[in-house]
Amino acid sequence: MATHLITGAGSGIGAAVARRLHERGDDLLLLARDAGRAKEIAAGLPGARTLVGDLAAPDRLSWALSHQTLPDRLDSVLHIAGVVDLGPVAELSVKTWRAQLDVNLLAPAELTRLLLPQLRAAKGQAIFVNSGAGLSANAEWGAYAASKHGLKALADALRAEESANGVRVTTVYPGRTASPMQEKVHRQEGKAYDAALLIDPESVATAILSALDLPRDARIDDMTVRPGR
């Protein structure tokens, strides 16, 4: 039975991935920002364990995890949580920049650092759910795109560093996917939200699991998932 640590399991792509892994009997560790949220996320996934650590405070993750029990090995760490706040560079505050950099880049970097011993022990896999914005930046997407471009660099560097230890690293770049985050984006863009026009989170979950389940004689470094409609 494989063991996976997942961030962002409360909604969207993260919830779909957690559900699929749970259904097949894998062992799950779900990271949540506080005890109340941990209880909510685990309620629909009987047997799943939770960890509490706030991705918005990456400098406190080491302290938080040091007070909780971690497994000796992890077959994967799935970085799926993320935040977005659009706006032109001329108007974005340092607070807005920092909030997105903390959750989208610094927290995955610190969490990966803290969990590398467990990934190495299992010759496991780090999966970073990025975004199309991690490949190109449009107007008013500056802060979010910068955090996701940084996440790509993190994954690329980690892959080069950890290949000798048997750790695989995959980045997934989904297009617009039906989720609460995308609802917020549509509101900020002043657009009507229609989930039927977007990628179903289950489809992205299928792509992620295909990378996770790939036999050890191969690896998927980067995967782009785009709307098919």
Side-chain angles (χ1 to χ4, degrees):
M1 180 172 62
T3 302
H4 312 277
L5 187 146
I6 307 173
T7 73
S11 65
I13 295 169
V17 170
R19 185 169 55 253
R20 296 275 285 276
L21 292 173
H22 182 264
E23 287 172 352
R24 71 187 200 181
D26 286 1
D27 189 21
L28 302 185
L29 274 170
L30 312 175
L31 185 72
R33 63 179 175 269
D34 55 46
R37 184 59 173 156
K39 185 176 180 180
E40 290 176 8
I41 295 172
L45 300 167
R49 293 175 288 166
T50 58
L51 292 170
V52 173
D54 189 356
L55 299 180
D59 55 332
R60 293 185 58 80
L61 286 173
S62 179
W63 178 88
L65 294 187
S66 71
H67 290 75
Q68 300 172 82
T69 302
L70 296 173
D72 295 328
R73 62 192 302 281
L74 282 168
D75 294 282
S76 80
V77 175
L78 297 118
H79 298 281
I80 306 178
V83 296
V84 62
D85 206 352
L86 305 184
V89 173
E91 297 176 9
L92 287 174
S93 67
V94 170
K95 181 179 179 180
T96 301
W97 276 92
R98 183 170 292 140
Q100 293 176 85
L101 290 168
D102 280 348
V103 174
N104 297 345
L105 175 57
L106 297 181
E110 175 66 350
L111 196 58
T112 299
R113 183 185 73 84
L114 296 171
L115 298 173
L116 264 177
Q118 287 87 344
L119 279 174
R120 289 169 177 164
K123 296 189 184 308
Q125 187 164 358
I127 294 185
F128 297 88
V129 174
N130 199 296
S131 165
L135 298 172
S136 63
N138 295 320
E140 301 199 4
W141 286 77
Y144 180 76
S147 70
K148 291 299 189 176
H149 275 66
L151 190 65
K152 178 186 185 303
L154 167 63
D156 290 348
L158 182 69
R159 184 181 302 113
E161 294 165 2
E162 293 299 321
S163 177
N165 294 319
V167 175
R168 297 193 297 192
V169 179
T170 299
T171 296
V172 182
Y173 301 93
R176 296 197 179 215
T177 303
S179 65
M181 177 186 284
Q182 197 55 229
E183 290 186 56
K184 177 182 179 180
V185 167
H186 276 66
R187 286 196 302 272
Q188 291 189 330
E189 292 178 326
K191 297 178 181 178
Y193 177 79
D194 185 352
L197 300 177
L198 308 178
I199 304 171
D200 190 307
E202 293 290 342
S203 299
V204 182
T206 297
I208 291 171
L209 265 63
S210 70
L212 195 60
D213 293 341
L214 193 69
R216 293 297 309 188
D217 64 335
R219 71 188 199 194
I220 296 174
D221 293 345
D222 297 281
M223 178 187 299
T224 300
V225 184
R226 288 289 177 261
R229 302 181 182 87

